[in-house]
């Protein structure tokens, strides 16, 4: 029986990031930048007012507050944001300016409105201002040749804004890996139909497709596929040729799964093995097609399939996205109830993680992990916000003991 870590290493070795593509910056959020975005122009591109007020020469208002009496200046006009006509300030003049408006020549500061009487033709000055105050100078943010967004940076709202600010409408990124999800099983029907005797809804293709999107993949949910050898081969081969990762649920265990594996072996290397984990110990992994695309065979049980996806498939998606840390965040938490696990296998058990408001300590309540409880209840997985990770050498965890807990995606 292979350890979880050994199987994860085999999977990680197959990770191949899709070739970088150039996309509109509006579509780049959440993706990793694949180029050094070097600015060609300064930002801002001109001296501009940082606040509504009056553009002045600071030397003209230095004496305010020094006993020299009241100072007032004539207002030569108003300059709006976006104004394109150059203007020039004469000595002992002021110009009304809006935030973002270009500064008139000779002006070196902006007087905030609250430091004046707000006059339109002539303005009374209540306070002095130093040179450069409330002015955004040319190139204050970025100078030509500066790197605005570095390769390897995950593009978020700030990076999208910076790309727009330096005039980039497209950017080279590592795209989302394409993931295909399909299921096999003569007992399966789609949720749009009423199941007959002996039939069950196809849960896995919907649940695993959602898990793939949560991990960051571009998902194609194929749904239920035929186990006829010819049709199966054609379907899988087509998906392998157009995706970076393929997941087939229901293809381990039983006579039908054996026939599926026989067909897949014609397309490349495929191995079904027992992994020292529960649930989902029996699983398959291989690389099929001319491009040796990673293909996973998952159990038919939805809980087992989702756990295997979380432990094996999700890290591969994250690696393909270029993430440096593909695994979930793990914290230590104190158990609120006893937990039973399977000796010799690493347990991934559902739980609810919470935090003590007084001490800040993490606490975890196992769901379905009590002695004698079933590990295959989908309802409890839906309630979980974490997976409790029990080492393979541990079969019982007492109340109050500390365990490792992996965060699952936050529910809104």
């Amino acid at each position: 029986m292979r350890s979880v870590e050994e199987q994860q290493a085999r999977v990680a070795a197959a990770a191949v990031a899709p070739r970088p593509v150039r996309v509109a910056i509006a579509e780049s959020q959440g993706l990793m930048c694949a180029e050094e975005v070097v600015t060609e122009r300064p930002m801002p591109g001109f001296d501009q007012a940082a606040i509504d007020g009056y553009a002045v020469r600071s030397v003209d208002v230095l004496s305010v507050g020094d006993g020299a009496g009241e100072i007032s200046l004539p207002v030569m006009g108003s300059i709006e944001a976006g104004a394109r006509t150059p203007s020039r300030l004469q000595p002992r003049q002021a110009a009304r300016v809006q935030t973002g408006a270009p500064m008139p020549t000779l002006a070196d500061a902006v007087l905030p409105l609250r430091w004046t009487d707000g006059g339109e033709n002539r303005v009374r000055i209540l306070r002095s201002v130093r040179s450069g105050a409330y002015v955004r100078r040319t190139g204050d943010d970025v100078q030509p040749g500066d790197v605005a967004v570095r390769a390897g940076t995950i593009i978020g709202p700030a990076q999208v804004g910076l790309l727009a600010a330096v005039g980039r409408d497209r950017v080279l990124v590592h795209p989302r890996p394409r993931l295909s999800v399909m299921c096999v099983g003569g007992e399966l029907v789609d949720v749009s139909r009423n199941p007959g005797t002996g039939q069950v809804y196809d849960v896995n293709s919907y649940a695993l497709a959602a898990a793939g999107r949560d991990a960051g993949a571009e998902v194609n949910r194929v749904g239920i596929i035929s186990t006829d050898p010819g049709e199966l081969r054609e379907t899988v081969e087509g998906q392998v040729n157009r995706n970076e990762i393929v997941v087939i649920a229901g293809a381990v265990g039983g006579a039908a799964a054996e026939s599926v594996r026989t067909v897949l072996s014609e397309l490349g290397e495929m191995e079904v093995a027992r992994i020292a984990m529960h649930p989902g110990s029996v699983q398959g992994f291989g690389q099929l097609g001319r491009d040796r695309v990673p293909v996973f065979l998952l159990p038919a049980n939805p809980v087992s399939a989702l756990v295997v996806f979380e432990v094996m498939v999700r890290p591969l998606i994250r690696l393909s996205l270029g993430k440096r840390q593909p695994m979930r965040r793990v914290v230590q938490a104190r158990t609120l109830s006893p937990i039973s696990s399977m000796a010799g296998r690493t347990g991934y058990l559902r739980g609810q993680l919470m935090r003590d408001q007084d001490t800040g300590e993490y606490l975890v309540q196992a769901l379905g992990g009590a002695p004698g409880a079933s590990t295959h209840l989908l309802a409890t997985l839906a309630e979980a916000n974490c997976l409790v990770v029990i080492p393979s050498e541990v079969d019982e965890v007492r109340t109050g003991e500390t365990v490792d807990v992996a965060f699952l995606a936050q529910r809104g």
Side-chain angles (χ1 to χ4, degrees):
M1 189 178 292
R2 186 177 296 142
S3 72
V4 172
E5 292 75 18
E6 289 172 335
Q7 184 73 354
Q8 287 176 326
R10 292 182 72 249
V11 170
V16 177
R19 292 181 179 178
V21 296
R22 198 167 296 278
V23 300
I25 61 173
E27 301 171 0
S28 67
Q29 187 172 354
L31 301 178
M32 178 178 285
C33 186
E35 65 172 320
E36 299 279 292
V37 180
V38 179
T39 59
E40 300 177 358
R41 304 180 184 87
M43 188 180 77
F46 54 91
D47 290 355
Q48 60 181 240
I51 192 173
D52 288 358
Y54 294 86
V56 296
R57 298 193 318 156
S58 59
V59 68
D60 291 336
V61 297
L62 280 178
S63 60
V64 177
D66 292 340
E70 178 183 297
I71 291 180
S72 64
L73 299 176
V75 178
M76 52 83 68
S78 179
I79 306 173
E80 299 179 349
R84 302 181 65 180
T85 302
S87 57
R88 182 181 181 87
L89 195 70
Q90 299 298 324
R92 298 193 60 78
Q93 276 187 341
R96 184 75 175 258
V97 289
Q98 292 181 353
T99 303
M103 293 287 289
T105 303
L106 295 186
D108 65 343
V110 175
L111 275 165
L113 284 176
R114 65 181 183 277
W115 293 359
T116 72
D117 67 349
E120 294 185 2
N121 297 318
R122 194 169 189 89
V123 58
R124 185 160 59 92
I125 312 300
L126 307 178
R127 286 182 58 176
S128 62
V129 67
R130 69 180 187 281
S131 178
Y134 303 105
V135 176
R136 295 184 64 211
R137 296 293 188 189
T138 303
D140 270 355
D141 284 350
V142 176
Q143 293 284 351
D146 287 350
V147 177
V149 180
R150 297 193 177 279
T153 301
I154 302 301
I155 298 177
Q159 287 73 31
V160 171
L162 189 53
L163 289 167
V166 299
R168 290 290 295 269
D169 63 340
R170 303 182 72 82
V171 63
L172 194 68
V173 297
H174 295 288
R176 303 182 191 280
R178 293 166 296 182
L179 168 70
S180 177
V181 178
M182 60 193 90
C183 298
V184 295
E187 78 282 10
L188 299 177
V189 296
D190 192 73
V191 295
S192 61
R193 296 175 52 194
N194 291 322
T197 303
Q199 293 183 316
V200 296
Y201 286 126
D202 165 26
V203 173
N204 278 324
S205 73
Y206 288 95
L208 296 173
R213 294 186 195 97
D214 180 73
E218 179 184 317
V219 179
N220 173 33
R221 190 192 69 82
V222 179
I224 305 166
I225 60 174
S226 170
T227 54
D228 173 78
E231 294 182 26
L232 176 65
R233 178 183 174 119
E234 182 180 357
T235 300
V236 174
E237 194 168 20
Q239 295 304 314
V240 164
N241 288 338
R242 65 175 67 98
N243 293 278
E244 281 77 42
I245 303 170
V246 173
V247 170
I248 307 174
V252 289
E258 184 65 35
S259 64
V260 169
R261 295 198 296 273
T262 299
V263 172
L264 297 184
S265 65
E266 300 172 3
L267 301 176
E269 301 173 5
M270 177 57 66
E271 178 197 50
V272 174
R274 282 193 174 275
I275 310 302
M277 63 178 283
H278 77 95
S281 63
V282 181
Q283 54 188 265
F285 176 71
Q287 293 176 271
L288 306 184
R290 64 179 182 273
D291 294 326
R292 293 177 55 79
V293 172
V295 178
F296 294 86
L297 305 183
L298 273 53
N301 178 271
V303 169
S304 299
L306 280 169
V307 170
V308 175
F309 190 100
E310 175 69 30
V311 176
M312 298 296 173
V313 187
R314 189 179 193 277
L316 181 64
I317 294 173
R318 306 299 284 173
L319 286 171
S320 298
L321 279 167
K323 305 290 186 182
R324 297 181 180 88
Q325 177 49 265
M327 310 305 291
R328 296 276 196 183
R329 180 188 172 197
V330 174
V331 299
Q332 289 196 319
R334 183 163 53 84
T335 59
L336 297 177
S337 61
I339 301 175
S340 178
S341 188
M342 192 174 295
R345 301 183 188 180
T346 302
Y348 294 91
L349 309 177
R350 305 168 303 284
Q352 285 185 335
L353 186 66
M354 57 204 85
R355 203 163 193 176
D356 189 299
Q357 292 184 349
D358 296 327
T359 66
E361 179 185 21
Y362 283 109
L363 308 172
V364 65
Q365 174 64 58
L367 300 173
S374 171
T375 60
H376 300 291
L377 298 178
L378 189 61
T380 57
L381 186 62
E383 296 174 3
N385 64 2
C386 69
L387 286 179
V388 183
V389 184
I390 308 298
S392 58
E393 65 272 13
V394 176
D395 59 2
E396 294 287 343
V397 178
R398 294 189 297 271
T399 301
E401 291 187 339
T402 300
V403 293
D404 286 341
V405 174
F407 280 104
L408 296 180
Q410 295 295 315
R411 291 182 292 176

